[in-house]
Amino acid sequence: MKQDILSLFAKRHSFYELNNIVPFSDKEIARLIEENLKLYPSPFNSQSARIVLLLGERHLKLWDIVLQTLIPLTPENKLTTLSEKISKFSKAYATILFYIDKNTVQSLKNKFPLYAANFDNWSYQANAILQFMIWTSLANNAIGANLQHYNPIIDEKVKAAFNISPDWELVAQMPLGGIISTPTPHAVEDIKKSFMIK
């Protein structure tokens, strides 16, 4: 029996209470990401999204980079809160880094100059769709995740630490892991304010 797509969407939450125990192997997580990469839509089939999956010590290293980058920028009375927040992400199992290949976007601008002003925005939209697809796929397999945006202040350190192409732009970080607790569903705004039929 086909599962209602909306029920799949309803499983996706921002899971912040995560641990490093997941029901999938590293290969299974990688395969899930690969399948989403095959399916996500992109303008002119440009497929500008790039993904880096950080496991084990590399996952921990990322969140240490984030913490060490933020400490000098954070008021002293907020340091404990900062440390506790970043610790939650490092306690997860792995992190997905979402990138956009700027060379791919630039080639589209050159090839289709009439739409050149739109391709940056379109590439972000396509990447966001991919993020949602992977996030939902993880949730449907009892793996929690949340989405973070510490770019661009961590970008250069992350590129150096993990040998990332200088032509890739970091757009999001997604820690994932075992679900400790499910958050309360968020409040939904009055639909009449958001949706009109003319």
Side-chain angles (χ1 to χ4, degrees), residues 67-124:
L67 180 61
Q68 298 307 319
T69 301
L70 290 175
I71 284 175
L73 306 175
T74 304
E76 189 171 349
N77 65 337
K78 301 289 185 181
L79 287 175
T80 299
T81 301
L82 170 68
S83 180
E84 291 173 350
K85 181 178 182 180
I86 302 304
S87 177
K88 286 187 176 184
F89 304 142
S90 66
K91 288 177 181 177
Y93 181 77
T95 301
I96 302 170
L97 302 180
F98 291 87
Y99 282 91
I100 291 172
D101 182 357
K102 302 304 286 185
N103 278 342
T104 299
V105 177
Q106 186 59 50
S107 69
L108 287 169
K109 293 179 180 180
N110 297 339
K111 189 174 181 179
F112 304 103
L114 183 63
Y115 303 108
N118 296 318
F119 280 117
D120 285 316
N121 190 38
W122 287 345
S123 68
Y124 294 128

Side-chain angles (χ1 to χ4, degrees), residues 29-40 47-54 95-101 126-135 138 147 162-165 168-174 176:
I29 293 173
R31 186 162 58 246
L32 182 148
I33 292 170
E34 289 170 356
E35 291 304 312
N36 278 277
L37 275 166
K38 293 175 185 177
L39 295 172
Y40 85 102
Q47 302 178 54
S48 62
R50 302 290 183 265
I51 285 182
V52 177
L53 175 62
L54 299 177
T95 301
I96 302 170
L97 302 180
F98 291 87
Y99 282 91
I100 291 172
D101 182 357
N127 205 283
I129 293 170
L130 176 61
Q131 293 165 30
F132 182 83
M133 289 172 62
I134 291 176
W135 198 349
L138 289 168
L147 198 62
F162 305 114
N163 194 27
I164 306 296
S165 169
W168 291 11
E169 178 188 356
L170 182 61
V171 293
Q173 307 87 53
M174 182 179 286
L176 62 98

Side-chain angles (χ1 to χ4, degrees), residues 191-198:
I191 296 300
K192 293 179 180 178
K193 296 181 180 178
S194 307
F195 178 48
M196 294 183 290
I197 302 174
K198 297 289 188 178

Side-chain angles (χ1 to χ4, degrees), residues 3-16 128-148 174 179 181-188:
Q3 189 166 15
D4 178 10
I5 189 66
L6 295 178
S7 69
L8 295 180
F9 293 164
K11 292 181 179 181
R12 186 216 54 81
H13 299 278
S14 291
F15 292 97
Y16 294 110
I129 293 170
L130 176 61
Q131 293 165 30
F132 182 83
M133 289 172 62
I134 291 176
W135 198 349
T136 303
S137 297
L138 289 168
N140 192 46
N141 288 282
I143 299 174
N146 59 75
L147 198 62
Q148 301 301 315
M174 182 179 286
I179 299 170
S181 63
T182 300
T184 303
H186 65 274
V188 177

